[in-house]
């Protein structure tokens, strides 16, 4: 009876051990012709991609159709005046792509949501996200005034990211890594990912090279330098790990620290969870999700990690958890919550309906129905 009630309730919300595949440079990938995915096929089709980490590499045309469907949803929200919901849906579209899965043609006919997202990111000073979205626009727009405006925005962003005369090398490295990470959360090309990883490592090394810890801060500039060093040492390892988890790759995070001889700065608890998650251990994925999900809700602004990075890492951990233990209630919950947050409510309904069976507990059923109600109200 519980399973029947759940299935009926979930149907009402429709509204309109993982390993990473090797990265493939985008320049070697042929352009794709997106396969149209209707609203009634969206949830079921996307669910097959969520279960299989390789599917996005082998069926890029269908993946492009899913991305375009989600971008259209973002545009509907923007057009209705729901800017935040539009940005969340836009983020959801890009989180469907892992490193090496993007291809030319994937964003065709999506200029409107990309333009709105880029303008909003630029308005609030999110240079990395704005640059990634403007670059996508530059690729798909025809010659003309609109494309010239986009090129002008990109030039202005590049100029803004240059270090100023009053910046120390550490502060300049901090600014570059923040922008590079934000860009990599949207742009899944291997080159952008590698640049973001290098920028985090450069930032951490600059903090260790700084002499700010050997002198008492006496000026605002000294205090800014000290804060930047503290931020790099405290959250640098969490940032680098989050960048890899956004793509569901705990082994890649460990390798990055080993290759750069920086394992000593990784908190032991984080290293332990990454090692176990790389072996497909369910509880390790649960812990990684909790670490980054809680980071979305904050901490002091000066030292907490970027909430967008936390969202991306939580998404990757939730996918890793689901793929490690499909059919288990606890493995379904994190992914379902994020799907609702990112404007894919009926996909959450499909995930729940496929994984909560007749033996579901009353507590789990109550939680699922509460999530469905939140999705209905949100939509």
């Amino acid at each position: 009876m519980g399973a029947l009630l759940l299935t009926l309730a979930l149907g009402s919300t429709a509204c309109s051990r993982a390993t990473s595949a090797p990265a493939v440079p985008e320049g070697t990938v042929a352009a794709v012709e997106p396969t149209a995915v209707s609203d009634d096929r969206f949830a079921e089709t996307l669910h097959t991609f969520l279960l299989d980490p390789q599917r996005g590499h082998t069926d890029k045309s269908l993946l492009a159709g899913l991305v375009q469907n989600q971008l259209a949803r973002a545009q509907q929200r923007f057009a209705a005046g729901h800017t935040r919901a539009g940005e969340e849906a836009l983020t959801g579209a890009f989180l469907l792509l892992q490193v090496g899965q993007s291809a030319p043609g994937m964003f065709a006919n999506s200029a409107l949501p990309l333009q709105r997202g880029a303008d909003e990111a630029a308005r609030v000073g999110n240079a990395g996200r704005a640059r990634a979205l403007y670059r996508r626009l530059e690729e798909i727009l025809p010659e003309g005034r609109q494309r010239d405006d986009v090129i002008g925005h990109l030039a202005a962003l590049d100029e803004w990211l240059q270090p100023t005369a009053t910046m120390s090398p550490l502060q300049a490295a901090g600014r570059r890594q923040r922008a590079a990470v934000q860009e990599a959360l949207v742009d899944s090309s291997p080159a952008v990912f590698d640049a973001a990883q290098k920028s985090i490592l450069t930032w951490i090394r600059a903090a260790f090279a700084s002499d700010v810890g050997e002198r008492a801060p006496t000026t605002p500039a000294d205090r800014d330098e000290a804060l930047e060093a503290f931020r790099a040492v405290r959250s640098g390892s969490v940032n680098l790990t989050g960048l890899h988890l956004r793509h569901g790759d705990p082994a890649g995070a460990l390798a990055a620290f080993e290759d750069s001889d920086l394992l000593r700065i990784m908190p032991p608890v984080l290293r332990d969870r990454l090692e176990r998650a790389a072996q497909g251990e369910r509880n390790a994925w649960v812990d990684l999700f909790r670490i980054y999900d809680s980071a979305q809700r904050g901490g002091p602004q000066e030292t907490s990690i970027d909430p967008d990075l936390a969202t991306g890492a939580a998404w990757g951990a939730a996918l890793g958890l689901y793929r490690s233990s499909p059919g288990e209630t606890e493995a379904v919950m994190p992914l379902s919550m994020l799907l609702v947050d990112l404007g894919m409510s009926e996909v959450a309904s499909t995930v729940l309906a496929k994984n909560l069976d007749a033996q579901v507990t009353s507590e789990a059923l109550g939680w699922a129905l509460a999530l469905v109600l939140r999705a209905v109200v949100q939509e």
Side-chain angles (χ1 to χ4, degrees), residues 307-377:
D308 291 339
L309 175 59
T311 298
W315 168 263
L319 270 179
L321 172 60
Y322 183 45
R323 289 165 176 168
S324 74
S325 307
E328 294 186 16
T329 301
E330 191 175 16
V332 171
M333 290 178 174
L335 181 61
S336 301
M337 290 188 297
L338 287 173
L339 285 165
V340 171
D341 292 341
L342 295 167
M344 293 177 273
S345 297
E346 81 277 40
V347 186
S349 299
T350 297
V351 170
L352 289 169
K354 286 181 178 294
N355 289 275
L356 303 186
D357 58 20
Q359 281 71 50
V360 64
T361 65
S362 58
E363 291 81 5
L365 179 60
W367 179 90
L369 292 173
L371 182 66
V372 169
L373 178 59
R374 177 162 75 85
V376 171
V377 172

Coordinates of all heavy atoms in Angstrom, one line a residue, residues 307-377:
P307 N 30.0 28.3 -2.2 CA 28.7 27.4 -2.1 C 28.4 26.7 -3.4 O 27.9 25.6 -3.4 CB 27.6 28.4 -1.7 CG 28.2 29.8 -2.0 CD 29.7 29.7 -1.8
D308 N 28.8 27.3 -4.6 CA 28.6 26.7 -5.8 C 29.5 25.4 -6.0 O 29.1 24.4 -6.5 CB 28.9 27.6 -7.0 CG 27.8 28.7 -7.1 OD1 26.7 28.5 -6.6 OD2 28.1 29.8 -7.7
L309 N 30.7 25.6 -5.5 CA 31.6 24.4 -5.5 C 31.1 23.3 -4.6 O 31.1 22.1 -4.9 CB 33.0 24.8 -5.0 CG 34.1 23.7 -4.9 CD1 34.3 22.9 -6.2 CD2 35.4 24.2 -4.4
A310 N 30.5 23.7 -3.4 CA 30.0 22.8 -2.5 C 28.8 22.0 -3.1 O 28.6 20.8 -3.0 CB 29.5 23.5 -1.2
T311 N 28.0 22.8 -3.9 CA 26.8 22.1 -4.6 C 27.3 21.1 -5.6 O 26.8 20.0 -5.7 CB 26.0 23.2 -5.3 OG1 25.4 24.1 -4.3 CG2 24.8 22.6 -6.0
G312 N 28.3 21.5 -6.4 CA 28.9 20.6 -7.4 C 29.5 19.3 -6.8 O 29.3 18.2 -7.3
A313 N 30.2 19.5 -5.7 CA 30.8 18.4 -5.0 C 29.7 17.5 -4.4 O 29.8 16.2 -4.4 CB 31.8 18.8 -3.9
A314 N 28.7 18.1 -3.8 CA 27.6 17.3 -3.2 C 26.9 16.5 -4.3 O 26.5 15.4 -4.0 CB 26.7 18.3 -2.5
W315 N 26.7 17.1 -5.4 CA 26.1 16.4 -6.6 C 26.9 15.2 -7.0 O 26.3 14.1 -7.1 CB 26.0 17.4 -7.7 CG 25.6 16.8 -9.0 CD1 26.4 16.4 -10.1 CD2 24.3 16.4 -9.5 NE1 25.7 15.8 -11.1 CE2 24.4 15.8 -10.8 CE3 23.0 16.5 -8.9 CZ2 23.3 15.4 -11.5 CZ3 21.9 16.1 -9.7 CH2 22.1 15.5 -11.0
G316 N 28.2 15.4 -7.1 CA 29.0 14.2 -7.5 C 29.0 13.1 -6.5 O 29.0 11.9 -6.8
A317 N 29.1 13.5 -5.2 CA 29.0 12.5 -4.1 C 27.7 11.8 -4.0 O 27.6 10.6 -3.8 CB 29.3 13.2 -2.8
A318 N 26.6 12.6 -4.3 CA 25.3 12.0 -4.3 C 25.1 10.9 -5.4 O 24.5 9.9 -5.3 CB 24.2 13.0 -4.4
L319 N 25.7 11.3 -6.6 CA 25.7 10.3 -7.7 C 26.5 9.1 -7.4 O 26.1 8.0 -7.7 CB 26.2 11.0 -9.0 CG 25.3 11.7 -9.9 CD1 26.0 12.3 -11.1 CD2 24.2 10.8 -10.4
G320 N 27.7 9.3 -6.8 CA 28.5 8.2 -6.4 C 27.8 7.3 -5.4 O 27.9 6.0 -5.5
L321 N 27.1 7.9 -4.5 CA 26.4 7.1 -3.5 C 25.3 6.3 -4.2 O 25.1 5.1 -3.9 CB 25.8 8.0 -2.4 CG 24.8 7.4 -1.4 CD1 25.5 6.3 -0.6 CD2 24.3 8.5 -0.5
Y322 N 24.5 6.9 -5.0 CA 23.4 6.2 -5.7 C 23.9 5.1 -6.6 O 23.4 4.0 -6.5 CB 22.6 7.2 -6.5 CG 21.4 6.6 -7.2 CD1 20.5 5.8 -6.5 CD2 21.1 6.9 -8.5 CE1 19.4 5.2 -7.1 CE2 20.0 6.3 -9.2 CZ 19.2 5.5 -8.4 OH 18.1 4.9 -9.1
R323 N 25.0 5.3 -7.3 CA 25.5 4.3 -8.1 C 26.1 3.1 -7.3 O 26.2 2.0 -7.8 CB 26.6 4.9 -9.1 CG 26.0 5.8 -10.1 CD 27.1 6.6 -10.8 NE 26.5 7.4 -11.9 CZ 27.1 8.4 -12.5 NH1 28.4 8.7 -12.1 NH2 26.5 9.1 -13.5
S324 N 26.6 3.4 -6.1 CA 27.2 2.3 -5.3 C 26.2 1.5 -4.7 O 26.4 0.3 -4.4 CB 28.1 3.0 -4.2 OG 27.3 3.6 -3.2
S325 N 25.0 2.0 -4.4 CA 24.0 1.2 -3.7 C 22.6 1.5 -4.2 O 21.7 2.0 -3.4 CB 24.1 1.6 -2.2 OG 25.4 1.4 -1.7
P326 N 22.3 1.3 -5.4 CA 20.9 1.6 -5.9 C 19.9 0.7 -5.2 O 20.2 -0.5 -4.9 CB 20.9 1.3 -7.4 CG 22.1 0.4 -7.6 CD 23.1 0.8 -6.5
G327 N 18.7 1.2 -4.9 CA 17.7 0.4 -4.2 C 17.7 0.6 -2.7 O 16.8 0.2 -2.0
E328 N 18.7 1.2 -2.1 CA 18.8 1.5 -0.7 C 18.2 2.9 -0.5 O 18.6 3.9 -1.1 CB 20.2 1.4 -0.2 CG 20.8 0.0 -0.2 CD 22.1 -0.1 0.4 OE1 22.5 0.8 1.2 OE2 22.8 -1.1 0.2
T329 N 17.4 3.1 0.5 CA 16.7 4.3 0.8 C 17.7 5.4 1.0 O 17.6 6.5 0.5 CB 15.8 4.2 2.0 OG1 14.9 3.2 1.8 CG2 15.1 5.5 2.3
E330 N 18.7 5.2 1.9 CA 19.7 6.3 2.2 C 20.5 6.7 1.0 O 20.9 7.8 0.9 CB 20.6 5.9 3.4 CG 21.4 7.0 3.9 CD 22.3 6.6 5.1 OE1 22.4 5.4 5.3 OE2 22.7 7.5 5.8
A331 N 20.7 5.8 0.1 CA 21.4 6.1 -1.1 C 20.7 6.9 -2.1 O 21.2 7.6 -3.0 CB 21.9 4.8 -1.8
V332 N 19.3 6.9 -2.0 CA 18.5 7.7 -2.9 C 18.2 9.1 -2.4 O 18.1 10.0 -3.3 CB 17.1 6.9 -3.0 CG1 16.1 7.7 -3.8 CG2 17.3 5.6 -3.7
M333 N 18.2 9.3 -1.1 CA 17.7 10.6 -0.6 C 18.6 11.8 -1.0 O 18.0 12.8 -1.5 CB 17.7 10.5 0.9 CG 16.6 9.6 1.5 SD 16.6 9.6 3.3 CE 15.1 8.6 3.6
P334 N 19.9 11.7 -0.9 CA 20.7 12.9 -1.3 C 20.5 13.4 -2.8 O 20.3 14.5 -3.1 CB 22.1 12.5 -1.1 CG 22.0 11.5 0.0 CD 20.8 10.7 -0.3
L335 N 20.5 12.4 -3.7 CA 20.3 12.7 -5.1 C 18.9 13.3 -5.4 O 18.8 14.3 -6.1 CB 20.6 11.5 -6.0 CG 20.4 11.7 -7.5 CD1 21.4 12.7 -8.0 CD2 20.6 10.3 -8.2
S336 N 17.9 12.7 -4.7 CA 16.6 13.2 -4.9 C 16.4 14.7 -4.5 O 15.8 15.5 -5.1 CB 15.6 12.3 -4.1 OG 15.7 11.0 -4.5
M337 N 17.0 15.0 -3.3 CA 16.9 16.4 -2.8 C 17.6 17.3 -3.8 O 17.1 18.4 -4.1 CB 17.6 16.5 -1.5 CG 16.9 15.8 -0.3 SD 17.6 16.1 1.3 CE 19.2 15.4 1.2
L338 N 18.8 17.0 -4.3 CA 19.5 17.9 -5.2 C 18.7 18.0 -6.5 O 18.7 19.1 -7.1 CB 20.9 17.3 -5.4 CG 21.9 17.5 -4.3 CD1 23.2 16.8 -4.5 CD2 22.1 19.0 -4.0
L339 N 18.1 16.9 -7.0 CA 17.4 17.0 -8.3 C 16.2 18.0 -8.1 O 15.9 18.8 -9.0 CB 16.8 15.7 -8.7 CG 17.9 14.7 -9.2 CD1 17.3 13.3 -9.2 CD2 18.3 15.1 -10.6
V340 N 15.6 18.0 -7.0 CA 14.5 19.0 -6.7 C 15.1 20.4 -6.7 O 14.6 21.4 -7.3 CB 13.8 18.7 -5.4 CG1 12.8 19.8 -5.0 CG2 13.0 17.4 -5.6
D341 N 16.2 20.6 -6.0 CA 16.8 21.9 -5.9 C 17.3 22.5 -7.2 O 17.2 23.7 -7.4 CB 18.0 21.8 -4.9 CG 17.7 21.6 -3.5 OD1 16.5 21.8 -3.1 OD2 18.6 21.1 -2.7
L342 N 17.6 21.6 -8.1 CA 18.2 22.0 -9.4 C 17.2 22.0 -10.5 O 17.5 22.1 -11.7 CB 19.4 21.1 -9.8 CG 20.6 21.2 -8.8 CD1 21.5 20.0 -9.1 CD2 21.3 22.5 -9.0
G343 N 15.9 22.0 -10.2 CA 14.8 22.1 -11.2 C 14.5 20.9 -12.0 O 14.0 21.0 -13.1
M344 N 14.8 19.7 -11.4 CA 14.5 18.4 -12.1 C 13.6 17.6 -11.2 O 13.9 16.4 -10.9 CB 15.8 17.7 -12.5 CG 16.6 18.5 -13.5 SD 18.2 17.7 -13.9 CE 19.2 18.5 -12.7
S345 N 12.5 18.1 -10.7 CA 11.7 17.5 -9.7 C 11.1 16.1 -10.2 O 11.1 15.2 -9.4 CB 10.5 18.4 -9.3 OG 11.0 19.6 -8.8
E346 N 10.7 16.0 -11.4 CA 10.1 14.7 -11.8 C 11.2 13.7 -12.0 O 10.8 12.5 -11.9 CB 9.3 14.9 -13.1 CG 10.1 14.9 -14.4 CD 10.6 16.3 -14.7 OE1 11.1 17.0 -13.8 OE2 10.6 16.6 -15.9
V347 N 12.4 14.0 -12.1 CA 13.5 13.0 -12.1 C 13.7 12.5 -10.7 O 13.9 11.3 -10.5 CB 14.8 13.6 -12.7 CG1 15.9 12.6 -12.8 CG2 14.6 14.3 -14.0
A348 N 13.6 13.4 -9.7 CA 13.6 12.9 -8.3 C 12.5 12.0 -8.1 O 12.6 10.9 -7.4 CB 13.5 14.1 -7.4
S349 N 11.3 12.2 -8.6 CA 10.1 11.3 -8.4 C 10.4 10.0 -9.0 O 10.1 8.9 -8.4 CB 8.9 12.0 -9.1 OG 8.6 13.2 -8.5
T350 N 11.0 10.0 -10.2 CA 11.3 8.7 -10.9 C 12.4 7.9 -10.0 O 12.2 6.7 -9.9 CB 11.9 9.0 -12.3 OG1 10.9 9.6 -13.1 CG2 12.3 7.7 -13.0
V351 N 13.4 8.6 -9.5 CA 14.4 7.9 -8.7 C 13.8 7.3 -7.5 O 14.0 6.2 -7.1 CB 15.5 8.9 -8.3 CG1 16.5 8.3 -7.3 CG2 16.3 9.4 -9.6
L352 N 12.9 8.1 -6.8 CA 12.3 7.5 -5.6 C 11.4 6.4 -5.9 O 11.4 5.3 -5.3 CB 11.4 8.7 -5.0 CG 12.3 9.8 -4.3 CD1 11.3 10.9 -3.9 CD2 13.0 9.2 -3.1
A353 N 10.5 6.5 -7.0 CA 9.6 5.4 -7.3 C 10.3 4.1 -7.7 O 9.8 3.1 -7.4 CB 8.7 5.9 -8.5
K354 N 11.5 4.2 -8.3 CA 12.2 3.0 -8.7 C 13.0 2.4 -7.6 O 13.4 1.2 -7.7 CB 13.2 3.4 -9.8 CG 12.5 3.6 -11.2 CD 13.5 3.9 -12.3 CE 12.8 4.1 -13.6 NZ 12.2 2.9 -14.1
N355 N 13.1 3.1 -6.4 CA 14.0 2.6 -5.4 C 13.4 2.3 -4.1 O 14.0 1.7 -3.2 CB 15.2 3.5 -5.2 CG 16.2 3.5 -6.4 OD1 17.0 2.6 -6.5 ND2 16.0 4.4 -7.4
L356 N 12.2 2.9 -3.9 CA 11.5 2.6 -2.6 C 10.3 1.6 -2.9 O 9.4 1.9 -3.5 CB 10.9 3.9 -2.0 CG 11.9 5.0 -1.8 CD1 11.2 6.2 -1.1 CD2 13.1 4.5 -1.0
D357 N 10.5 0.4 -2.4 CA 9.6 -0.7 -2.8 C 8.6 -1.0 -1.7 O 8.4 -0.1 -0.8 CB 10.4 -2.0 -3.1 CG 11.2 -2.4 -2.0 OD1 11.0 -2.0 -0.8 OD2 12.2 -3.2 -2.2
A358 N 7.9 -2.1 -1.7 CA 6.8 -2.4 -0.8 C 7.4 -2.6 0.6 O 6.6 -2.5 1.6 CB 6.1 -3.7 -1.2
Q359 N 8.7 -2.8 0.8 CA 9.2 -2.9 2.1 C 9.7 -1.6 2.7 O 10.3 -1.5 3.8 CB 10.4 -3.9 2.1 CG 10.1 -5.4 2.1 CD 9.5 -5.8 0.8 OE1 10.0 -5.5 -0.3 NE2 8.3 -6.4 0.8
V360 N 9.4 -0.5 2.1 CA 9.9 0.8 2.5 C 9.3 1.1 3.9 O 8.1 0.8 4.2 CB 9.5 1.9 1.5 CG1 8.0 2.1 1.4 CG2 10.1 3.3 1.9
T361 N 10.1 1.7 4.8 CA 9.6 2.0 6.1 C 8.7 3.2 6.1 O 8.7 4.0 5.1 CB 10.8 2.4 7.1 OG1 11.4 3.6 6.6 CG2 11.8 1.2 7.1
S362 N 7.8 3.4 7.1 CA 6.9 4.5 7.1 C 7.7 5.8 7.2 O 7.3 6.9 6.6 CB 6.0 4.4 8.3 OG 6.7 4.3 9.5
E363 N 8.9 5.8 7.9 CA 9.7 7.0 8.0 C 10.2 7.5 6.6 O 10.1 8.6 6.2 CB 10.8 6.8 8.9 CG 10.5 6.7 10.4 CD 10.0 5.3 10.7 OE1 10.1 4.4 9.8 OE2 9.6 5.1 11.9
A364 N 10.7 6.5 5.8 CA 11.2 6.8 4.5 C 10.1 7.2 3.6 O 10.2 8.2 2.8 CB 11.9 5.6 3.9
L365 N 8.9 6.6 3.7 CA 7.8 7.0 2.8 C 7.4 8.4 3.2 O 7.1 9.2 2.3 CB 6.6 6.0 3.0 CG 5.4 6.3 2.2 CD1 5.7 6.3 0.7 CD2 4.3 5.3 2.6
G366 N 7.3 8.7 4.5 CA 7.0 10.1 4.9 C 7.9 11.1 4.4 O 7.5 12.2 3.9
W367 N 9.2 10.8 4.4 CA 10.2 11.7 3.9 C 10.1 11.9 2.4 O 10.1 13.1 1.9 CB 11.6 11.1 4.2 CG 12.7 12.0 3.7 CD1 13.4 13.0 4.3 CD2 13.3 12.0 2.3 NE1 14.3 13.6 3.5 CE2 14.3 13.0 2.3 CE3 13.1 11.2 1.2 CZ2 15.1 13.2 1.1 CZ3 13.8 11.4 0.1 CH2 14.8 12.4 0.0
A368 N 9.8 10.8 1.7 CA 9.6 10.9 0.2 C 8.4 11.8 -0.1 O 8.5 12.6 -1.0 CB 9.5 9.5 -0.4
L369 N 7.3 11.6 0.6 CA 6.1 12.4 0.3 C 6.3 13.8 0.6 O 5.8 14.7 -0.1 CB 4.9 11.8 1.0 CG 4.5 10.4 0.6 CD1 3.4 9.8 1.5 CD2 4.0 10.4 -0.9
A370 N 7.1 14.1 1.7 CA 7.4 15.5 2.0 C 8.2 16.2 0.9 O 8.0 17.3 0.6 CB 8.1 15.6 3.4
L371 N 9.2 15.4 0.4 CA 10.0 16.0 -0.7 C 9.1 16.2 -1.9 O 9.2 17.3 -2.6 CB 11.1 15.0 -1.1 CG 12.1 15.5 -2.2 CD1 12.8 16.7 -1.7 CD2 13.0 14.4 -2.6
V372 N 8.2 15.3 -2.2 CA 7.3 15.5 -3.4 C 6.4 16.8 -3.2 O 6.3 17.6 -4.1 CB 6.4 14.3 -3.5 CG1 5.3 14.6 -4.5 CG2 7.2 13.1 -4.0
L373 N 5.9 16.9 -1.9 CA 5.1 18.1 -1.7 C 5.9 19.4 -1.8 O 5.5 20.4 -2.4 CB 4.6 18.1 -0.2 CG 3.7 19.3 0.2 CD1 2.5 19.5 -0.7 CD2 3.3 19.1 1.7
R374 N 7.2 19.4 -1.4 CA 8.0 20.5 -1.6 C 8.3 20.8 -3.0 O 8.3 22.0 -3.5 CB 9.4 20.3 -0.9 CG 10.4 21.5 -1.1 CD 11.5 21.5 -0.1 NE 12.5 20.4 -0.3 CZ 13.5 20.6 -1.1 NH1 13.7 21.7 -1.8 NH2 14.4 19.6 -1.2
A375 N 8.4 19.8 -3.8 CA 8.6 19.9 -5.3 C 7.4 20.6 -5.9 O 7.5 21.4 -6.8 CB 9.0 18.6 -5.9
V376 N 6.2 20.1 -5.5 CA 5.0 20.6 -6.1 C 4.9 22.1 -5.8 O 4.6 22.9 -6.7 CB 3.8 19.8 -5.6 CG1 2.5 20.5 -6.0 CG2 3.8 18.4 -6.1
V377 N 5.1 22.5 -4.5 CA 5.0 23.9 -4.1 C 6.0 24.7 -4.9 O 5.7 25.8 -5.4 CB 5.1 24.0 -2.6 CG1 5.2 25.5 -2.2 CG2 4.0 23.3 -1.9

